[in-house]
Amino acid sequence: MIRLDKYLADMGCGTRQEVKKLIRQGRVAVDGEITKKPDVKIDVGEPETRPSVQSDGWEPMQRQTVCVDGKEVGYESYEYYMLYKPGGVISATEDKHAETVVDLIKDKKRKDLFPVGRLDKDTEGLLLITNDGALAHRLLSPKKHVDKCYYAKVSGKVTVEDMRAFLQGVNIGSEENPEVTMSAALEIIKSGNISEIRLTIQEGKFHQVKRMFHAVGKEVLYLKRERMGTLVLDETLKPGEYRCLTDEEIKNL
Ligand code: URA
């Protein structure tokens, strides 16, 4: 149960003050009846609005309807978007000067969305944008061993020795402060002056992929995340585009 003014503010109908005004102006109806009380409680049917392992998928259990100016405003506790992050955009929720990945989600209702893990400004590819903190923790914790799979173009010849080194773990810290990576699977797609590889890691240290290649004397020229756990970048999306996750994708995560 949540207050009507919070319900409307959560769904992007305005600030708490603005939605209170809407309510007092008699523009908001609950179950068909105009109400002028911002603190009236609305049954949003949580937690069943969130797909669970037990459920067969999305089961909206909201028991009440809320309309603003006659238009229904449904409540969503959680939102899940797959974004094809383009280069040049920062992985943050807000920034005074630069465009963020959350700014790219134009259809969002909730104001508490954040990116699950950070991709560098010049990195492209799969980014999950949600407000589901528990899911984000599960996906990001190295203890949960969730794969993060990257495609990269790397300067120099990537070798079988690099594959072995990554499997064993490389030091991406310094001699005094070693930071050894967990075992990672390196696949060489093309080896040459500029190599193409796929690397699967299960942690997300700062600039991890770039620092791993740096540790074996190479430089990442282009980096794209293709997969995170069971979530695969939808290749029908173009850089900068996004879509909602399907019920199946949410359930599988
Ligand atoms: N590793 C990096 O070096 N950069 C990223 O953006 C993601 C992983």
Side-chain angles (χ1 to χ4, degrees), residues 60-125:
M61 295 287 286
Q62 188 168 336
R63 292 174 188 93
Q64 293 185 279
T65 58
V66 174
C67 294
V68 177
D69 295 333
K71 222 173 130 207
E72 190 170 343
V73 177
Y75 193 78
E76 286 185 28
S77 309
Y78 295 97
E79 288 188 282
Y80 304 87
Y81 296 97
M82 174 191 293
L83 170 70
Y84 188 154
K85 180 193 173 297
V89 178
I90 58 169
S91 295
T93 50
E94 54 188 358
D95 190 272
K96 284 207 180 78
H97 310 290
E99 190 174 41
T100 73
V101 289
V102 174
D103 294 332
L104 295 178
I105 312 293
K106 303 292 181 206
D107 302 328
K108 61 181 173 284
K109 289 187 173 168
R110 301 208 53 113
K111 290 194 285 305
D112 51 359
L113 298 182
F114 59 87
V116 177
R118 283 168 188 267
L119 293 179
D120 298 336
K121 192 170 177 185
D122 60 350
T123 301
E124 298 185 358

Side-chain angles (χ1 to χ4, degrees), residues 119-120 123 150 207-210 223:
L119 293 179
D120 298 336
T123 301
Y150 294 86
H207 294 328
Q208 177 154 347
V209 176
K210 292 174 185 165
L223 188 58

